[in-house]
Amino acid sequence: MGLNKKSVDDVNVKGKRVLVRCDFNVPLKEGVITDETRIAAALPTIQKLINDGGKVILCSHLGKVKNGPNEGESLAPVAKRLSEKLGKEVVFVSDYNVTGEAATKAVNEMGEGDVVLLQNTRFRGKEETKNGEEFSKELAELADIYVCDAFGSSHRAHASVAGVTEAIRAKGGENVVGYLMQKEIEFLGNAVENPVRPFVAILGGAKVADKLNVINNLLEKCDTLIIGGGMAYTFLKAQGYEIGTSLVDNEKLDYCKEMMAKAEKLGKKLLLPVDAVTIKEFPNPIDAPVETVVCDSTDMPADREGCDIGPKSAELFAAAVKTAKTVVWNGPMGVFENPTLAEGTLAVAKALAETDATTIIGGGDSAAAVNQMGYGDKMSHISTGGGASLEFLEGKELPGVMAADDK
């Protein structure tokens, strides 16, 4: 899992140019940041480097940048907010080339403790292609030390995540992880590789296909695997039950049967919903009022769709959480964007908030749900990376983690 990596505590940055890959992929509405979670998460590492006299050069992507560089996806609003939060000017290099003359000039003019933010790395085009090699070298030319603190991007072998490390190493520099990365590695890595038992894993979300390898890997690691959300109905259908018009992945029925057989063979508990909150028609808009009927999972009408776990399932899952010492949760239990269909997700969040176990929320929708429901501060750790935390839970090696120097 690559858990023994050098961190910002292991390097002397005084007077050195330090390139930090952050995750500033924040939501923007008309140029205003609507959620600052990712900026707040980056501050401890940035502040540490400033205090230690480093020349701190920040970089990040923002958005998908499908139609080429544009002001709507510029990092300018992030520079402004960072300046306010750090209480000092963050010099923003607005050049769409990211590493051109303007960047070199800004870095050359830096003093100890100064901060520069480069433009959106994705403005350079596809970072993972041939173009990435040149970009990696140009980024490395600006710095002596590289810090990866963008867990949300660490599953991608992009120039600003993994490629740059080779160029830094080639010139005798060091590659380390920041505090946010370190925390993610410790919590997620230890949960999967060395959990305090009993270890309960909860998986939700819409599709079985998205979590094939996660289910397979976690069955080997955990003591109890709870499956809710849309993906549960494929498991229920694989058991021969009527699931009405609920989400189903007919191509994965055999896989679900294999996983249930694997759980039995390994002596693991695999818990599926015993009841469901069903609806006749999907709400439009998604948060519109909707009429519901609770049905047992063994007795679902053919013309209704399961969109949340029912109260008996919520009780069953909460009871399993109460016995745990480690809990990892990835994916909501239902259509949590609708208040009527959020009760199951809320019940699981509440159960996690009330347990003494180490509770780890695996990013994405689960993180959004926990924060929306006001339980964020009750969790041991909320991952900042949806895709990255999923790949970590699959047991995959993440390029951004593996590229850092070993201790």
Side-chain angles (χ1 to χ4, degrees), residues 353 359 361 367 369-382:
T359 49
I361 312 301
V370 166
N371 285 325
Q372 271 174 34
M373 291 165 178
Y375 288 119
D377 60 344
K378 300 279 195 300
M379 304 300 156
S380 309
H381 179 62
I382 298 178

Side-chain angles (χ1 to χ4, degrees), residues 84-116:
E84 291 162 4
K85 286 199 170 276
L86 292 169
K88 66 182 301 164
E89 188 195 0
V90 172
V91 175
F92 180 55
V93 180
S94 58
D95 184 359
Y96 286 178
N97 192 52
V98 188
T99 53
E101 277 177 37
T104 306
K105 182 175 182 291
V107 170
N108 287 343
E109 289 171 359
M110 291 177 87
E112 291 183 8
D114 283 353
V115 185
V116 163

Side-chain angles (χ1 to χ4, degrees), residues 60-307:
S60 172
H61 78 282
L62 194 157
K64 301 253 192 261
V65 192
K66 286 179 177 167
N67 304 314
N70 66 90
E71 279 308 295
E73 288 171 306
S74 165
L75 282 172
V78 174
K80 183 172 179 287
R81 198 67 193 99
L82 268 175
S83 298
E84 291 162 4
K85 286 199 170 276
L86 292 169
K88 66 182 301 164
E89 188 195 0
V90 172
V91 175
F92 180 55
V93 180
S94 58
D95 184 359
Y96 286 178
N97 192 52
V98 188
T99 53
E101 277 177 37
T104 306
K105 182 175 182 291
V107 170
N108 287 343
E109 289 171 359
M110 291 177 87
E112 291 183 8
D114 283 353
V115 185
V116 163
L117 173 63
L118 303 179
Q119 185 55 281
N120 188 342
T121 56
R122 291 206 176 152
F123 283 5
R124 272 295 287 265
K126 292 187 174 173
E127 277 199 73
E128 69 277 22
T129 58
K130 268 284 183 207
N131 162 51
E133 283 178 38
E134 191 183 326
F135 188 28
S136 298
K137 286 178 186 152
E138 288 174 24
L139 283 168
E141 277 167 22
L142 295 173
D144 309 301
I145 293 168
Y146 171 74
V147 179
C148 187
D149 210 25
F151 182 72
S153 301
S154 65
H155 59 312
R156 306 196 184 281
H158 287 179
S160 65
V161 176
V164 64
T165 61
E166 292 170 33
I168 288 278
R169 201 169 281 122
K171 59 191 251 183
E174 293 176 279
N175 297 296
V176 303
V177 297
Y179 289 138
L180 182 61
M181 280 283 281
Q182 195 177 21
K183 196 176 174 208
E184 296 274 13
I185 293 166
E186 281 169 9
F187 272 101
L188 279 166
N190 287 335
V192 176
E193 293 304 318
N194 193 23
V196 180
R197 297 187 182 278
F199 172 24
V200 175
I202 308 167
L203 292 178
K207 299 186 195 125
V208 175
D210 293 346
K211 297 197 169 110
L212 291 178
N213 298 331
V214 183
I215 295 167
N216 197 13
N217 190 46
L218 284 179
L219 266 181
E220 290 174 16
K221 313 280 188 185
C222 69
D223 302 296
T224 300
L225 179 60
I226 295 171
I227 292 180
M231 61 196 267
Y233 299 102
T234 305
F235 277 87
L236 291 169
K237 186 170 180 180
Q239 288 181 321
Y241 296 124
E242 168 66 61
I243 59 162
T245 58
S246 307
L247 268 181
V248 65
D249 189 341
N250 286 312
E251 289 177 14
K252 298 291 179 281
L253 291 169
D254 286 343
Y255 172 84
C256 290
K257 287 175 188 167
E258 276 171 41
M259 289 302 107
M260 290 186 279
K262 179 174 179 169
E264 200 173 330
K265 187 181 168 197
L266 294 173
K268 306 296 175 79
K269 266 190 198 166
L270 197 157
L271 298 181
L272 293 167
V274 291
D275 58 351
V277 176
T278 67
I279 61 174
K280 196 86 172 168
E281 280 180 15
F282 205 79
N284 183 18
I286 200 164
D287 57 354
V290 62
E291 285 185 26
T292 62
V293 175
V294 176
C295 310
D296 284 347
S297 299
T298 54
D299 193 27
M300 281 179 69
D303 63 345
R304 295 187 74 85
E305 178 181 0
C307 279

Side-chain angles (χ1 to χ4, degrees), residues 188 192 213-214 217-218 328 330 388-395:
L188 279 166
V192 176
N213 298 331
V214 183
N217 190 46
L218 284 179
V328 170
N330 187 293
S389 60
L390 263 184
E391 291 198 13
F392 222 21
L393 294 176
E394 280 178 36

